[in-house]
Amino acid sequence: MALTKNKKVLEFVESCSSLTQPDNIVWIDGSANQIKQLKEEAVKSGELIKLNQNLLPDCYLHRTKVNDVARVEDRTFICTKNKDDAGPVNYWMDPKQAYELTREIARGSMKGRTMYVIPYSMGVVGSDFAKIGIEVTDSIYVVLNMNIMTRVGVNCLKALGKNGDFIKGLHAKCNVDADNRYIMHFPEDNTIISVNSAYGGNVLLGKKCFALRIASYLGKNEGWMAEHMLILGVTFPDQTKKYIAAAFPSACGKTNLAMLIPPKHYLDKGYKVECVGDDIAWIRVGEDGRLWAVNPENGFFGVAPGTNEKSNLNALETTRRGTIFTNVALNTDDMTVWWEGLSEKPEHCIDWTGKPWNGEGKAAHPNSRFTAPAVNCPCVSPDFNSKKGVPLSAIVFGGRRASATPLVYQSRDWKHGVFVGSAMSSETTAAATGATGVLRHDPMAMKPFTGYHMGDYFAHWIDMGKKIKNPPKIFNVNWFRQDKNGNFMWPGFGDNMRVLEWILKRCSDNPVDAEETPIGFVPKAEDIDLTGLDYDIGTLKEILTVDKQTWFKEAEEIENYYNGVIGSRIPDELWACLNELKENCKVTARETAKKPAAKKTDTAKKPTAKSPSSAKKATAAKSTANKK
Ligand code: SAT
Ligand code: MN
C-alpha cells in the first residue's frame, strides 16, 4: 500500500509501474521487520549468501554478474537539452532520445518481479542540507544496500509532505545486458534512469548519481557544492577539533584516510581522528563565513581488497556486522569472507565468480566492496548526524602519482587552490571499467561525477570563493610516489597523520614555516614529525622536492588539457594561475647547470616552533599496498 499522499510521488510510482509492469509493488517503510524479511527472501533466491552468523552477525555475500563489476563511465550520460551544458568530459545524450531509449529497454521488464519503492534521504532527515529521493527498483540487493547507505523509510515521506519535490530514480535490472546498460541523468528534470546493471555505483542511485551528479548541478544553481570528498575530524591534545575534507579519485584510499589510526606517539599525546564521511561531502557557506560540510550518506561502500588490520582496522571492525559484501571470496571452511590483502590465503575458498579458487588469479574482484553502516565504525564522529555539519579548516586534493607531485604542498590562496584541484591527474583504478594504471586528468576527483560542464564547475568553485569570508586552506597530497624500482616512497596509511598534522599547523593562527616553491608551499622536512618511524629523512626530502623542469612539462600538459579538452568556459583566474606556474617553472640556463630548483622561505608567515623529528635511517619499505 502506498505510504504517502504526495501526488507527485504517487504519479511517479504509477508511471514506473505502468512502464515496467511488475507483479507486485512493495513500499519500503524502513522497519527492521521488513528489512529482515527481504534478507530472508534474498537468501532463499540465492541473491544473498548468509555468512557465519556467529562470526559475522547479520552479514551477507552477494555476487554480481561477471560483466557487471564496476561503474561504466562510457555508458553514463548527462542528458541536458543543450549538449554544451553537459560539457566536454561527460557523455551526452539528447533527453528525448535518452528517455525513449531507456523506456523501451525498461518496458515490461519487471513482469513476474516485484517493484520496490524506496523513499530515502541524503542527509539527516529534515535538516537544511537534506534532500529526498525516491528510488524505484526491482532488486532486493539495491533495497538492502540503500537501506545501509542512506536514511530510508516513512519519515522521508513525512518530510516530503503532500507537495514536496524529490529526485526521481528508476532502476530496472532487466537482463543485466552490458550492451544495453545505460546510466542516464536528467539534471534539468531531477531524474535518473539506470537499466541493465545491478552493481553499486550504477544502481544505488542516492550515491554517485544523485549525491554527486545531480547534486553538483543543484549546487551550482543554489550556491553550494557537492564534492567527491571524505570528511575527517582531528582532535588535538588540548581537545580542540579541526575538520578536513579531502578529494581523491575512487579506490585511492579515501576510506583509509577517513578512518586513519594515528601512530602511537600521537595517540599517547591525545590526538584522535574521527570519521564524518568517506566519499561524499555537501558543502555550504555558514553564517560565520566558513565552509560547513555534511556527509549525505549513512554507510560506507568501501573497496575490500587491501583492507586489513594494519591498513584500516576501523573499516574492518565496521564490516563485522550488518554488512553486505559484494564480489569478495567466500571462505568455505568457516563461511566468512576473504580478499587479497586481508590475511593468509584461506585453505578453501570460492572466488568472486562462484568457482572454487585454486590460488591462481584473484579470489576477490579488485573492485569488490563492503556496504557497512556508519554507526558500526569505531571512529565515527559524534558530529556524524549533525544537522549543520562541520566547519572546514582545510581542503585536500590528492591523486595517485608515481612521480612529479610532492608528498604535500599548500596552494597560495583559494583561487590557486582551485587551480591545483582543476589540474589534478591520477592513475585509473578498478572502480570503473577500462584499463587501470593509466594517468588521466581528474579535476577535484570529479571527472566521472560532475553533472554539468567542467569549465562551469571550475567557475562555480571560483564564485564560491568570493562568498567565503574565512575560506579553508587548500592543499594537495600524493601518498603514491615511487622510486625507480617501483617501491612506494612514503609509508602511507596511519603515517599520513604526520602530513595531516603539518596541514593543520598551516591552518592555525600561528602557522608553521614552509618553503615557497614554484607550485606552492612545501614543508621543511624537519617539520614533518617522523617520531617512531623507521624512515630516512633523505627520502622525505626527495619527495618534498619540486623539480622545475618536470613542473614546466606538467604546466604544458595542463595547458593542453585546458585548451584541448575543457575549452572556453575556463575562468580567467585559472588561466592566470597557469601562466604563473609556467613563469615560475621556467628554467634559466644557469639553473639547468646546477639543479635542483631553488626554494625560498615563506616569509609571509611567522615561523613557529618546529615539531620534534627523530628521523631514523632506512628507506620506505617496498610496498604493494594499493590504497594508502
Ligand atoms: O561504485 S561507486 O561509484 O559507488 C564507488 C566509487 O567508484 O567511488
Ligand atoms: Mn567514490
Side-chain angles (χ1 to χ4, degrees), residues 358-539:
N358 60 9
E360 279 164 28
K362 304 271 188 211
H365 188 275
N367 192 38
S368 54
R369 299 270 171 167
F370 52 80
T371 317
V375 287
N376 284 3
C377 180
C379 66
V380 69
S381 168
D383 301 309
F384 182 79
N385 284 315
S386 163
K387 288 192 172 172
K388 66 178 189 31
V390 296
L392 297 180
S393 295
I395 286 178
V396 177
F397 295 117
R400 187 183 281 271
R401 295 292 308 263
S403 64
T405 310
L407 177 65
V408 57
Y409 67 100
Q410 181 188 356
S411 64
R412 285 183 285 275
D413 54 25
W414 177 270
K415 279 182 214 157
H416 181 231
V418 176
F419 169 71
V420 169
S422 78
M424 261 170 75
S425 305
S426 190
E427 289 150 26
T428 51
T429 68
T433 53
T436 59
V438 179
L439 191 64
R440 73 166 185 185
H441 286 276
D442 192 350
M444 284 86 168
M446 283 287 280
K447 182 204 172 287
F449 307 122
T450 307
Y452 60 102
H453 193 294
M454 191 56 85
D456 293 345
Y457 170 75
F458 295 166
H460 181 50
W461 267 82
I462 294 289
D463 287 346
M464 286 296 294
K466 295 174 188 154
K467 293 189 212 158
I468 317 167
K469 268 207 309 292
N470 302 306
K473 306 262 188 299
I474 301 182
F475 299 80
N476 194 90
V477 298
N478 178 21
W479 317 135
F480 298 91
R481 275 289 282 268
Q482 290 175 22
D483 65 15
K484 55 182 185 319
N485 301 318
N487 298 321
F488 285 117
M489 297 173 78
W490 174 249
F493 302 109
D495 289 312
N496 291 335
M497 180 68 198
R498 302 169 195 277
V499 176
L500 296 187
E501 185 191 26
W502 184 81
I503 285 175
L504 289 175
K505 279 186 174 169
R506 290 291 292 169
C507 298
S508 81
D509 295 337
N510 195 7
V512 65
D513 202 6
E515 306 269 9
E516 189 171 2
T517 77
I519 65 171
F521 300 109
V522 301
K524 296 178 164 190
E526 319 81 78
D527 287 331
I528 300 284
D529 183 353
L530 296 176
T531 307
L533 185 65
D534 195 9
Y535 185 76
D536 176 22
I537 196 161
T539 309

Side-chain angles (χ1 to χ4, degrees), residues 2-14:
L3 296 178
T4 180
K5 294 209 164 80
N6 183 310
K7 275 216 183 81
K8 296 173 199 166
V9 175
L10 295 174
E11 268 169 34
F12 172 59
V13 172
E14 166 56 30

Side-chain angles (χ1 to χ4, degrees), residues 71 207-208 212 228 248-251 254 278-279 369 449:
R71 282 183 290 102
K207 197 171 179 51
K208 299 294 160 71
L212 287 178
H228 193 204
F248 296 79
S250 302
K254 281 198 299 301
D278 81 327
D279 196 37
R369 299 270 171 167
F449 307 122

